[in-house]
Amino acid sequence: MVSTSKRPPVHPVRWQAPPVDPLPAFPSAQLALIRVPGGEPEDVVVDAEGCLWMGALDGSIVRLPAGGGPEVVANTGGRPLGLAVARNGRLLICDSPKGLLALDTTTGEIDTLVDSVGGRRLQFCSNVTETADGTVYFTESTSGFTVADYVGAILEARGDGRLHRLDPDGTVTCVVDGLYFANGVTPTADGSALVLAETQGRRLSKYWLTGPHRGSVTPLAVNLPAMPDNLSTGSDGRIWCAMVTPANPLADRLAAGPPVVRKVIWRLPKPLQPKPAPVVWVVAFDPDTGDAVAGLHTTHPSFSMVTCAVEAHGRLWMGSIAAPYLGYVELAATAL
């Protein structure tokens, strides 16, 4: 049996998963794949020159120029997760367990912006965005685990996720806590709010930056039939959401049951633990109503567990934590 002695302990609690509401039937489409050095590009962003940037499983930061092939620019020494292009052209990188980093895309030099919050190590920085005034917001999926042990956070079923604000003077403030595996974050096109994804909570919410709701959180899309991951804002303001895997009724029953059962599951070797269902699923939501307005739902023998979706060059680009590829479809193919 594979040793599990190095895993951190889990402390599960009983938790009632949200119900599941259906989404529209989305089209299938012909999926094209590009192999990524280092494998499993968890997030993909596009810069002002139209280059795609992604972080690979082996720590590589990879650039894909328009019309060119992928090239490794740097390596974080950890696991790059969510990315964002800052106003000054640097690439913001959420890395587990390194923290929040910034890459000079010209020199390849990496600086650490945040490696601790509230006196503890930031070991699962998940996604990041920058607003027009230079304020950086980033999510922390959990304080108890790194990405290598993310299943432990899901088994615990604790609202241990957070949204943090990094001010230009370096001050870090937690602005939202109690999130169930905080993940993607992206601004609305008008800058009035941030949209947040809770992977385990299976919902999207808005954290308001302006207006009468400023500083509060309101629901946008709830009771999702899958687990949302990274988010991006489309050219027409729609919010693209990667659905990494469908909701699992068995996992929901386990969450509501005796915690000791999940402790036993955690002790199993990883190959024997439950596996996410393989699917290619992305949805675009209206930023005001939360209605699904476009999407893609299919399967592919070499690509699944989509973790991001971003528009560029008339295509929708997708990353994955289950395949060594960057996938894409024609954007027009996602119309309902």
Side-chain angles (χ1 to χ4, degrees):
M1 179 175 288
V2 178
S3 172
T4 59
S5 59
K6 293 184 178 180
R7 291 185 200 165
V10 296
H11 305 286
V13 295
R14 289 180 184 264
W15 179 67
Q16 186 61 54
V20 170
D21 291 340
L23 289 172
F26 298 107
S28 180
Q30 186 66 37
L31 189 67
L33 303 179
I34 298 174
R35 184 174 287 275
V36 174
E40 299 186 15
E42 201 269 354
D43 196 16
V44 182
V45 295
V46 59
D47 67 16
E49 284 73 45
C51 296
L52 297 176
W53 291 84
M54 61 211 84
L57 179 62
D58 72 349
S60 294
I61 301 299
V62 181
R63 175 172 54 203
L64 180 65
E71 52 193 28
V72 176
V73 175
N75 193 294
T76 66
R79 182 23 164 150
L81 299 173
L83 309 174
V85 178
R87 295 181 308 155
N88 61 9
R90 293 205 297 177
L91 186 69
L92 302 176
I93 304 167
C94 287
D95 185 279
S96 179
K98 298 288 186 175
L100 180 62
L101 314 176
L103 168 70
D104 184 318
T105 58
T106 301
T107 66
E109 182 179 349
I110 295 176
D111 295 325
T112 299
L113 301 181
V114 182
D115 59 8
S116 64
V117 290
R120 56 178 175 76
R121 181 78 179 176
L122 176 63
Q123 58 179 350
F124 202 147
C125 186
S126 191
N127 207 285
V128 60
T129 192
E130 185 186 50
T131 55
D133 63 357
T135 303
V136 173
Y137 291 86
F138 62 95
T139 56
E140 180 184 18
S141 292
T142 173
S143 63
F145 303 87
T146 68
V147 67
D149 292 311
Y150 77 91
V151 173
I154 298 297
L155 290 173
E156 281 200 338
R158 292 177 177 270
D160 194 28
R162 298 169 177 86
L163 173 68
H164 300 287
R165 184 184 71 231
L166 171 63
D167 292 323
D169 66 1
T171 302
V172 178
T173 304
C174 177
V175 294
V176 183
D177 60 11
L179 302 174
Y180 283 87
F181 207 96
N183 207 322
V185 57
T186 192
T188 55
D190 63 3
S192 64
L194 302 177
V195 180
L196 302 170
E198 291 174 78
T199 299
Q200 186 162 34
R202 300 204 295 261
R203 63 190 173 196
L204 305 185
S205 304
K206 295 173 84 169
Y207 172 72
W208 291 91
L209 302 174
T210 64
H213 298 295
R214 181 179 180 179
S216 66
V217 178
T218 58
L220 178 63
V222 300
N223 302 336
L224 297 175
M227 304 181 82
D229 205 290
N230 290 324
L231 306 174
S232 70
T233 306
S235 55
D236 61 354
R238 66 181 64 181
I239 304 299
W240 281 104
C241 175
M243 301 292 213
V244 66
T245 191
N248 185 321
L250 174 58
D252 289 351
R253 290 195 295 272
L254 287 172
V260 67
V261 177
R262 281 170 282 152
K263 287 188 175 183
V264 172
I265 292 173
W266 182 237
R267 296 191 190 105
L268 294 173
K270 286 186 178 182
L272 298 182
Q273 292 178 353
K275 298 293 184 295
V279 67
V280 179
W281 197 353
V282 295
V283 182
F285 293 94
D286 183 285
D288 298 315
T289 66
D291 294 335
V293 295
L296 171 71
H297 192 181
T298 188
T299 58
H300 191 282
S302 303
F303 193 79
S304 64
M305 292 190 72
V306 177
T307 48
C308 69
V310 63
E311 297 177 14
H313 316 305
R315 295 169 173 169
L316 186 70
W317 302 82
M318 293 165 282
S320 166
I321 54 169
Y325 302 107
L326 176 66
Y328 67 87
V329 297
E330 297 303 313
L331 187 58
T334 65
L336 286 176

